[in-house]
Amino acid sequence: MNECLRQLVETFGPSGHEHRVRALIADLVGGHVDELRTDAMGNLVALKRGDGTGQRLMLAAHMDEIGLMASYIDEKGFVRVQPIGGVSPWLEVGGRVQFQNGSLGVVSHDKLGHGEAVPPMEKLFIDVGAASRQDCPVGLGDVACFVQPMVQVGGLLTAKAMDDRVGCAVLIETLRRLAATPHDCYVVFSAQEEVGTRGAVTAAYGVAPDVGLAVDVTLAGDVPEPAVRMATALGAGPAIKVKDGGMIATPWVKDWMIDVAQAEGLPWQLEVLPGGTTDARAIQTSRDGVPAGCLSIPCRYVHSPSETVSPADLGHAVDLLVAMLRRPLPR
Ligand SMILES: [Zn+2]
């Protein structure tokens, strides 16, 4: 799965520009599903058909990553930007980004004002090595994302876009390993999650599932002084979400995950996240309401160029999902 993850994280795919990730995933799951289609929002919807005795499930992981959009190019050829998704300017500074046309750039910022410790977004610029506006290889509306190869750091893996290509990798591997299931499993690789779960909103309406599950990253509390005090730790198993800033997991869906993890002897932990949300919120609040939950991969340094996960958690997430999907639902 590590090689699959490397391909996924190193592929360009800011929100609304997921086409390369979509093509890669279509390639990777092609032989393992009964149907594959792309909808108008850019979601890739894969269907693995059940044996007719189960229910209609939607599993979602988002293909998009945070990024920057060129909003103004000055006379010297420096590019001003607006954020795509939850971009922290201070995590961009000094980093390298790449535009869709391959142009590379370095992110820096204007002189800070008195008492200004962190540059606001308006002070960020990208140096693409241009000499003038005319010479600039980037146009208005062009989007960029971090450039970072995936590397191994001790026993951990670090890359850009682990959020949420780890979720994509887990669902791809689940589809590959899921030989037979009672359920019609609609696996949605969703678009535009980072700008407000927009792809999952329309996908959930279209699929109209009986139950929904998202697979996404969550914050890890196992760093020296975490910004958010959380019980989650890398390597302690996938985290079963209780709540986040946008969703309270449907209790029986949460318990379903816990019960199967325990029955299979798999490691798991609970996630109680104060802010943020996932595609599970979009599924849960679609139509007249859908029971929904989320399986999370603990991740350090979320929305930085060095999002860091434990490969063991990915493997255990796949084990758990495969075990869940092979059984009848608890209700
Ligand atoms: Zn995410």
Side-chain angles (χ1 to χ4, degrees), residues 62 64 162-164 193-194 215-217 277-278 302-303:
H62 67 90
D64 62 313
M162 287 292 190
D163 177 9
D164 181 28
E193 190 273 350
E194 295 289 358
V215 183
D216 206 334
V217 300
T277 198
T278 71
V302 171
H303 287 192

Side-chain angles (χ1 to χ4, degrees), residues 38 48 99 105 114:
T38 300
K48 169 91 181 166
F99 287 86
H114 187 67

Side-chain angles (χ1 to χ4, degrees), residues 27 94 111 136 156 164 180 197 214 220 223 235 265 267:
D27 227 41
K111 183 179 173 186
C136 184
L156 307 176
D164 181 28
T197 67
V223 289

Side-chain angles (χ1 to χ4, degrees), residues 21-44:
V21 185
R22 189 167 57 237
L24 173 62
I25 295 174
D27 227 41
L28 292 167
V29 300
H32 305 273
V33 295
D34 299 302
E35 273 177 32
L36 198 57
R37 65 183 172 86
T38 300
D39 71 10
M41 281 294 285
N43 300 303
L44 180 67

